[in-house]
Each structure stands twice: as structure tokens, then as C-alpha cells.
């Protein structure tokens, strides 16, 4: 075989190995992983006293993720930023294409540096977010506020909060209703209970929403229209809400959390700090008393957990969607009707798998290169012997 042909074959093989590994790890890997996920079907009433047997078509298909932490201009290395944002964009776009959710909730900490970013850097972060989490008009995207978006309680101010609300064109505390299901969005960063102006505003709005929901339930149960004391209240579908927020309700630690997305064993017994890792006991009890939610979904801890508060209020902590925070990010698929709900968890590719594929491709390249060098060395030796033999015969 001519030498140039060998070079071309080797080049084609090398390009095939590199290109194949890159295409698989950066595009294809998300499809087989997310194809394993499916919308759970409601077969038993859960979270309410409704009728069994709701079909997926008659319920809301909601996708829930948390803690995307888009890196900012200060603490984000350019390669880390490029890598993590590409991973999240491909995972999100693949999930949208394969699963077709009707509504997507992101439970706060959208940005990593919203709490201190300048207006210029903020606008750049927002632009990248809209590119990564673009969606069709068939899907509604609802974003909640987290401590990294506006700062912890002692860092937040009206400017940061209003800047966040303006970008997403909605109040940070409100009710989103879809197909008769009430989704209560809570600005949990402002629930310190110390009387700060933002805290007072948020608590006032929560009390109003609680009154509206209770009046809606009472009016439906009585069947006699507006109840006394409910004049001027806004009526919602008469069903307990699904409550979504960034901070989890109060719990001592993650000691009771299990599963492949739970916190590492060495971290599960670390005690949580109130108003920093979780809401305070007082704020948690107020929310449960005001709304009596049939399900709570929260983020912030970057790890998964299931907790039952007061033996009747289930809470699911949703892990981080970013590979920067976890080797195995995931999101929740929720099928929710006015009286029932069911959940499933969808795991994304593990970053260790991606690294293993790249390492295997690198090893193959090295072996091919060594084989090529040995083959070329053997060919040169043969040619040398042939030439030497001819020289001696002459």
C-alpha cells in the first residue's frame, strides 16, 4: 500500500474516533438517557380526595428543576462556564423535544452571581439564560427567585428583586393556575420574619393569597357563592395548592434522605442552619397553616430528599440541574390533576461517564498512534534490508 494511502487511512480513523467521541458526549448521550424517562400516570388519588384514574391528557405535565447557577463574570472561569452551560442547554432542549412538558418550573438560583452582578453583567447573564432555556409557545416557563439571584436576606434589596421580576415579567410571590391546578410560588428568601420592608410585602401578599384560596375552597364546599368575609377576594380552583419555593421547609438535617441523588453520606448528618440552609421553624409552620399544601417542591441544597412534615405535608427537595454541583443532575416529572398527583425522577448523564468516554477515546488514539509508528518502523526496516541486499548483490 502506498505511503500516502496509509497516512490517509490513519487520519480518517483518528478523525472518526475523535469526532465520534465528541458527537456522542456532546449531543447523542442525552437522548438514550432521557428516553428512559416517561410521564407518570395517575392511577391512585394522591395529595387530595379526588377520583382515581385521571389520564395524563387531563392533567398538567410539569417539569421541575432547580439551581442552574449560571456562572457570572467574577467567579466563573470561561471554560467552566462554557462547559456547564452547554451541558444544561443540551439536556434542557433534549428534554423539551422528547417529553413536551406543558409547564417548566425552575426553583431559584438561576444565576450564580445575581446578588452582586453589575447591570452589564446581569444583562449578559439574562441573555445567556434565554438562549439556553429557549422554548416554544406550547411550553410555559416559570422561574422562582433564589438567594443567588437577589442575595441572602441581609444582601437583598428592592433594586435586585425588581430587576429579577422585570426580567421574568412576574411577581416573585403569586399563584399560577393551569388546568384547575394551583401552583403557589413563594419568595422564600424574604421569609425571615424580622419585619424588613421586602419581608413585610411578601408576607402581606402570602396572607392575601391564603385568604383567596381558603375563600375559594369554602365557597365551593358550601355551594352558596361568596362567603361572609370573602368579599373582594379572587377566586381560584377549589383545590389545595402545590407549593414551590427555593428554600426547603425546616428540617434538622438530611440524615433521613436516601437515594442516588441524596447528599453524600458524610454530609447527611450535618445540622442545617435556620434562615440559611432551610427556612426557620416559625416560617415553615406559618406556610403550612396558611396554605395546607398537598405537595411542597424546593431546591437550594443541591441534593434530593423526601420529607413528610406533620405527618401529612410531603416535601421533595429537587437536586441541582448543573454538573458543576453534582455528578448526576436530575429533574422531576410531575403529572398533576386538581385532586391527584404523581411524580417521577429523570436523571441526566453522569459526568463521570462522559469523562470515561473521552479517556477511552484518548486511549484508542494513543494505541492507534503507537501501532502506526510500529508499522511504519517495520516498513522502514524492511525497505532498509531490501536496499542493503541489492547493494551487496551489486
Amino acid at each position: 500500500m502506498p505511503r500516502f494511502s496509509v497516512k490517509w487511512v490513519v487520519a480518517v480513523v483518528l478523525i472518526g474516533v475523535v469526532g465520534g467521541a465528541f458527537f456522542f458526549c456532546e449531543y447523542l448521550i442525552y437522548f438514550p438517557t432521557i428516553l428512559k424517562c416517561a410521564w407518570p400516570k395517575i392511577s391512585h388519588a394522591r395529595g387530595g380526595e379526588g377520583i382515581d384514574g385521571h389520564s395524563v391528557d387531563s392533567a398538567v405535565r410539569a417539569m421541575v428543576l432547580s439551581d442552574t447557577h449560571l456562572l457570572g463574570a467574577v467567579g466563573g472561569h470561561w471554560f467552566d462556564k462554557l462547559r456547564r452551560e452547554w451541558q444544561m442547554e443540551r439536556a434542557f432542549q433534549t428534554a423539551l423535544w422528547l417529553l413536551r412538558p406543558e409547564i417548566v418550573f425552575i426553583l431559584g438560583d438561576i444565576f450564580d452571581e445575581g446578588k452582586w452582578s453589575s447591570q452589564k453583567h446581569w444583562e449578559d447573564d439574562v441573555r445567556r439564560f434565554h438562549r439556553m432555556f429557549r422554548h416554544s409557545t406550547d411550553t410555559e416557563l416559570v422561574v422562582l427567585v433564589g438567594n443567588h439571584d437577589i442575595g441572602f436576606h441581609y444582601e437583598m434589596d428592592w433594586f435586585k428583586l425588581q430587576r429579577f421580576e422585570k426580567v421574568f415579567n412576574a411577581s416573585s410571590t403569586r399563584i399560577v393556575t393551569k388546568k384547575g391546578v394551583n401552583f403557589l410560588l413563594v419568595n422564600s428568601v424574604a421569609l425571615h420574619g424580622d419585619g424588613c420592608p421586602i419581608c413585610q410585602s411578601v408576607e402581606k401578599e402570602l396572607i392575601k393569597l391564603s385568604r383567596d384560596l381558603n375563600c375559594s375552597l369554602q365557597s365551593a364546599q358550601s355551594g352558596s357563592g361568596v362567603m361572609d368575609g370573602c368579599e373582594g377576594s379572587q377566586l381560584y380552583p377549589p383545590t389545595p395548592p402545590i407549593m414551590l419555593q427555593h428554600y426547603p421547609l425546616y428540617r434538622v438535617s438530611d440524615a433521613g434522605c436516601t437515594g442516588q441523588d441524596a447528599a453524600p453520606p458524610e454530609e447527611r448528618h450535618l445540622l442545617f442552619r435556620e434562615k440559611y440552609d432551610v427556612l426557620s421553624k416559625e416560617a415553615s409552620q406559618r406556610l403550612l397553616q396558611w396554605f395546607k399544601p398537598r405537595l411542597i417542591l424546593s431546591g437550594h441544597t443541591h441534593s434530593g430528599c423526601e420529607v413528610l412534615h406533620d405527618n401529612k405535608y410531603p416535601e421533595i427537595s429537587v437536586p441541582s440541574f448543573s454538573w458543576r454541583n453534582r455528578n448526576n443532575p436530575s429533574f422531576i416529572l410531575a403529572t398533576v390533576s386538581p385532586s391527584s398527583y404523581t411524580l417521577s425522577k429523570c436523571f441526566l448523564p453522569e459526568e463521570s461517564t462522559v469523562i470515561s468516554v473521552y479517556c477511552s477515546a484518548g486511549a484508542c488514539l494513543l494505541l492507534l498512534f503507537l501501532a502506526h509508528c510500529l508499522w511504519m518502523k517495520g516498513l522502514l526496516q524492511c525497505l532498509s534490508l531490501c536496499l542493503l541486499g541489492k547493494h551487496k548483490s551489486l
Side-chain angles (χ1 to χ4, degrees):
M1 182 181 291
R3 286 185 64 184
F4 73 90
S5 298
V6 173
K7 289 182 177 179
W8 276 108
V9 169
V10 172
V12 169
V13 172
L14 293 179
I15 292 172
V17 172
V18 174
F22 179 83
F23 189 67
F24 175 76
C25 290
E26 305 305 327
Y27 288 93
L28 292 183
I29 194 170
Y30 301 99
F31 285 89
T33 308
I34 296 177
L35 274 172
K36 297 177 184 177
C37 308
W39 291 105
K41 294 185 178 181
I42 297 176
S43 58
H44 300 285
R46 183 182 178 188
E49 298 180 356
I51 301 174
D52 293 352
H54 290 284
S55 69
V56 174
D57 293 334
S58 65
V60 181
R61 296 192 306 274
M63 176 177 164
V64 185
L65 53 122
S66 186
D67 293 87
T68 51
H69 284 274
L70 271 69
L71 293 175
V74 178
H77 187 273
W78 69 267
F79 182 76
D80 196 16
K81 185 186 299 184
L82 177 69
R83 179 73 185 139
R84 303 313 176 192
E85 292 181 7
W86 172 257
Q87 289 172 318
M88 287 191 286
E89 180 177 352
R90 294 315 319 149
F92 184 76
Q93 295 301 324
T94 303
L96 285 191
W97 192 72
L98 294 176
L99 299 171
R100 307 286 183 185
E102 295 170 86
I103 189 167
V104 177
F105 295 100
I106 306 182
L107 304 181
D109 278 3
I110 313 303
F111 309 106
D112 197 58
E113 298 178 4
K115 56 188 178 181
W116 61 52
S117 60
S118 67
Q119 189 60 28
K120 178 183 177 181
H121 293 151
W122 170 261
E123 290 172 358
D124 180 63
D125 293 347
V126 169
R127 177 188 56 78
R128 293 181 357 253
F129 172 83
H130 286 308
R131 185 200 72 231
M132 293 167 55
F133 294 95
R134 62 190 180 276
H135 55 92
S136 69
T137 54
D138 296 332
T139 300
E140 182 179 359
L141 179 64
V142 178
V143 171
L144 283 76
V145 68
N147 56 287
H148 275 266
D149 302 314
I150 61 173
F152 282 97
H153 172 260
Y154 57 87
E155 297 173 305
M156 70 175 180
D157 55 40
W158 282 112
F159 171 76
K160 295 173 188 174
L161 178 59
Q162 291 170 354
R163 182 173 68 172
F164 184 91
E165 293 179 336
K166 182 180 179 181
V167 164
F168 298 106
N169 195 29
S171 168
S172 61
T173 300
R174 67 191 192 277
I175 291 175
V176 174
T177 300
K178 205 167 188 71
K179 289 187 177 180
V181 177
N182 296 316
F183 295 97
L184 170 67
L185 315 183
V186 177
N187 179 355
S188 54
V189 184
L191 293 182
H192 267 46
D194 63 352
C196 77
I198 296 178
C199 301
Q200 289 181 339
S201 175
V202 168
E203 289 191 17
K204 182 179 178 181
E205 184 62 26
L206 287 171
I207 291 171
K208 178 183 179 300
L209 292 175
S210 172
R211 175 177 176 272
D212 291 344
L213 282 172
N214 288 330
C215 287
S216 301
L217 288 167
Q218 293 171 11
S219 297
Q221 291 170 357
S222 68
S224 58
V226 179
M227 301 290 291
D228 292 338
C230 290
E231 296 82 2
S233 63
Q234 181 176 344
L235 293 181
Y236 292 96
T239 177
I242 306 288
M243 190 165 75
L244 303 101
Q245 58 192 44
H246 181 64
Y247 281 116
L249 296 182
Y250 175 79
R251 61 178 183 260
V252 174
S253 67
D254 272 351
C257 306
T258 58
Q260 58 181 307
D261 60 352
E266 63 273 15
E267 297 179 9
R268 292 181 195 174
H269 293 276
L270 297 177
L271 299 181
F272 283 146
R273 293 163 290 179
E274 293 185 60
K275 305 180 182 182
Y276 189 86
D277 299 310
V278 293
L279 288 180
S280 66
K281 293 179 183 178
E282 294 77 11
S284 301
Q285 284 302 312
R286 283 201 303 271
L287 287 173
L288 294 177
Q289 291 169 6
W290 285 343
F291 296 103
K292 298 178 174 55
R294 48 184 172 138
L295 173 67
I296 303 108
L297 295 169
S298 61
H300 189 58
T301 64
H302 299 175
S303 300
C305 191
E306 296 186 22
V307 182
L308 189 64
H309 298 280
D310 298 343
N311 293 317
K312 54 182 175 180
Y313 301 117
E315 178 181 10
I316 308 293
S317 288
V318 181
S320 174
F321 192 69
S322 173
W323 280 260
R324 193 170 190 257
N325 299 322
R326 301 193 59 81
N327 178 52
N328 60 339
S330 62
F331 57 89
I332 297 288
L333 294 177
T335 304
V336 189
S337 74
S339 58
S340 307
Y341 70 85
T342 184
L343 309 174
S344 67
K345 191 167 289 184
C346 185
F347 284 91
L348 300 178
E350 295 187 359
E351 187 160 52
S352 56
T353 302
V354 174
I355 294 172
S356 297
V357 172
Y358 276 128
C359 289
S360 300
C364 289
L365 287 177
L366 181 61
L367 290 174
L368 285 170
F369 178 74
L370 292 174
H372 175 66
C373 291
L374 291 173
W375 186 85
M376 290 300 297
K377 183 178 179 181
L379 182 61
L380 289 173
Q381 288 177 345
C382 288
L383 289 173
S384 299
L385 290 173
C386 289
L387 291 173
L388 183 63
K390 288 181 181 180
H391 178 71
K392 286 182 177 180
S393 63
L394 291 174

